Amino acid sequence: MKKQVLLWLLSGVLFLNACQNNTIHNETTSMTFTISEKPFGQINGDTITQYTITNPQGMQVSIINYGGTVTNLLVPGRDHELGDVVLGFDSLSGYLQKANPYFGCLVGRYGNRIAKGKFILDGQAYQLTLNDHGNTLHGGVQGLDKVIWQASKPAGDSSLKLTYTSKDGDQGFPGNLVIEVVYTLSSDNALQIAYSATTDKATPVNLTNHCYFNLSAGKQNTILDHEVMLQAEKFTAVDSLLIPTGQLPDVKGTPMDFTTPKKIGAELAAVKGGYDHNWVLKRKGKDLEKIATAYDASSGRFMEVFTTEPGLQFYTGNFLDGTLKGKQQQKYQQHAGFCMETQHFPDAPNQPSFPNTIVKPGESYRSLTYYRFSVK
Ligand code: BGC
């Protein structure tokens, strides 16, 4: 009898293995990680390159060295079809236009807002470039989203390393900041983004990525039916220009409550302008933790967000208005995509009670975020 049970178990394992091998061997997949590259246009004589990493499951991410921008993210749905789950453009000119709302790019030196672009550090006042109603948004006029990064391909074909040195005084920030961002695809369908930076003068640093996700891969014009969970019991209250007031209200009993999964559209109308807030993540410590999920029932795609950061800007594409022509001439209407920007809190350099964002010489800024995809 025991022998029979063992044989039955063994055949089950062999059967499962065979199934897995079948999926791995289908036409759209390769057995290993690969990285390819192709030209993606020119800026003042510099060639911009698009790098595409493919994992053994066939998941793909394409990144250009202009702005370190994720241009495409191909993820399987319930039907096993790969779908592109990020908004963007088909060519470089789309990304270069003034109206590009930070599609897919790296954001810094300081993601989110700094009030009036001012802060005082070690007794010295600094003035940053202003680009958002008299405030500084996403690092200023010429942030890290608008520069050309140096790209290299680490061994293993699963990563792309981007480096950039932002000079002392760039956009008004002190210190030469040497930044490194490594995008990696894992074999369990996660896109990992590892950020690090060092400086030679104390300076605020808050790096993030600005992918606009639509897990239906274009089948749904908006993300209002996506179900979202945010592991947060508080958020940073903001004024009419989205500058934090310093208060951290409870989400309980308000439209800001995503502690259990809820459709984005369920209570969005009750939030003036839509969701564009920093949630205070409820974390166990400083290690990588799962802090948010998003699910699109129409395609079955499920996204889990893991981060080491204390905050998450959940932005529901409120300023999209149908005037941008995106990939394959798609018109991105209001709420066509959502961002989950893992970060420190907005305006922290002026808010002593918020977690510290100042990096000093000899210290190393580090931040890690994963977006992991599966099907439900
Ligand atoms: C901000 C929005 C802003 C958008 C730019 C988001 O991170 O929170 O207020 O409009 O970026 O596209």
Side-chain angles (χ1 to χ4, degrees):
M1 183 64 185
K2 259 189 190 163
K3 206 171 159 189
Q4 261 176 340
V5 172
L6 265 178
L7 274 173
W8 178 78
L9 276 176
L10 187 68
S11 60
V13 170
L14 287 174
F15 173 69
L16 277 179
N17 253 337
C19 290
Q20 273 168 2
N21 287 343
N22 272 344
T23 27
I24 288 175
H25 282 298
N26 75 26
E27 275 175 4
T28 55
T29 58
S30 62
M31 282 301 288
T32 54
F33 285 93
T34 58
I35 181 162
S36 61
E37 57 179 88
K38 65 171 193 205
F40 198 73
Q42 291 218 329
I43 299 177
N44 300 330
D46 284 328
T47 298
I48 302 303
T49 303
Q50 184 181 52
Y51 299 85
T52 298
I53 309 171
T54 308
N55 81 356
Q57 275 60 253
M59 178 185 172
Q60 275 191 352
V61 62
S62 298
I63 299 152
I64 53 173
N65 57 328
Y66 174 72
T69 302
V70 173
T71 56
N72 308 78
L73 186 59
L74 302 185
V75 177
R78 196 187 283 123
D79 55 7
H80 305 290
E81 291 282 320
L82 290 173
D84 191 351
V85 297
V86 293
L87 309 192
F89 302 103
D90 288 323
S91 65
L92 185 59
S93 59
Y95 291 97
L96 293 176
Q97 66 186 300
K98 203 154 186 268
N100 172 11
Y102 296 86
F103 278 161
C105 57
L106 294 174
V107 174
R109 293 185 185 192
Y110 199 97
N112 218 313
R113 292 169 173 83
I114 295 183
K116 299 192 170 62
K118 287 183 197 299
F119 60 92
I120 295 174
L121 188 52
D122 296 334
Q124 194 173 331
Y126 291 94
Q127 177 65 62
L128 307 173
T129 58
L130 305 173
N131 58 346
D132 190 61
H133 308 285
N135 298 311
T136 301
L137 173 67
H138 296 335
V141 173
Q142 177 89 2
L144 300 179
D145 57 294
K146 294 181 184 67
V147 303
I148 301 176
W149 293 68
Q150 210 60 42
S152 61
K153 297 184 275 185
D157 289 343
S158 59
S159 299
L160 181 73
K161 181 158 123 183
L162 297 170
T163 50
Y164 183 75
T165 298
S166 168
K167 292 266 159 55
D168 189 8
D170 184 11
Q171 306 310 304
F173 286 101
N176 291 294
L177 189 71
V178 180
I179 311 155
E180 185 178 296
V181 178
V182 182
Y183 282 105
T184 303
L185 274 196
S186 68
S187 48
D188 64 346
N189 284 1
L191 173 65
Q192 175 187 308
I193 315 175
Y195 307 82
S196 55
T198 53
T199 180
D200 55 7
K201 275 187 199 163
T203 190
V205 183
N206 192 25
L207 305 178
T208 190
N209 172 277
H210 213 284
C211 275
Y212 284 68
F213 298 99
N214 182 325
L215 300 181
S216 78
K219 294 214 171 87
Q220 311 261 338
N221 293 332
T222 76
I223 42 71
L224 297 177
D225 281 340
H226 282 47
E227 280 167 36
V228 158
M229 185 284 294
L230 305 177
Q231 192 177 286
E233 290 172 352
K234 290 177 184 299
F235 67 101
T236 46
V238 286
D239 67 14
S240 61
L241 292 181
L242 301 175
I243 298 295
T245 60
Q247 273 148 357
L248 305 179
D250 287 338
V251 298
K252 204 164 183 197
T254 79
M256 306 300 278
D257 190 351
F258 283 93
T259 48
T260 52
K262 180 173 80 181
K263 280 196 178 169
I264 294 177
E267 294 175 286
L268 180 136
V271 180
K272 204 166 173 256
Y275 296 109
D276 191 0
H277 298 79
N278 170 64
W279 270 257
V280 176
L281 298 173
K282 193 177 166 215
R283 316 182 44 98
K284 293 188 192 75
K286 290 192 166 170
D287 292 340
L288 196 68
E289 249 179 78
K290 176 153 87 177
I291 49 81
T293 63
Y295 175 58
D296 167 48
S298 72
S299 65
R301 290 192 187 89
F302 182 57
M303 181 174 91
E304 297 162 290
V305 186
F306 297 72
T307 192
T308 53
E309 287 295 307
L312 180 88
Q313 184 82 8
F314 175 51
Y315 168 58
T316 46
N318 312 326
F319 297 114
L320 300 175
D321 60 6
T323 52
L324 278 177
K325 274 214 190 93
K327 293 175 194 171
Q328 290 156 356
Q329 304 297 307
Q330 282 178 74
K331 283 191 179 150
Y332 295 133
Q333 65 183 72
Q334 194 180 36
H335 311 309
F338 67 90
C339 302
M340 285 189 173
E341 303 155 57
T342 54
Q343 59 176 10
H344 272 57
F345 302 176
D347 202 29
N350 296 308
Q351 301 270 355
S353 64
F354 287 179
N356 171 55
T357 55
I358 306 300
V359 180
K360 297 187 177 140
E363 293 176 352
S364 184
Y365 167 93
R366 278 181 195 285
S367 171
L368 182 64
T369 293
Y370 268 83
Y371 298 95
R372 188 167 73 189
F373 297 87
S374 56
V375 162
K376 281 212 294 186

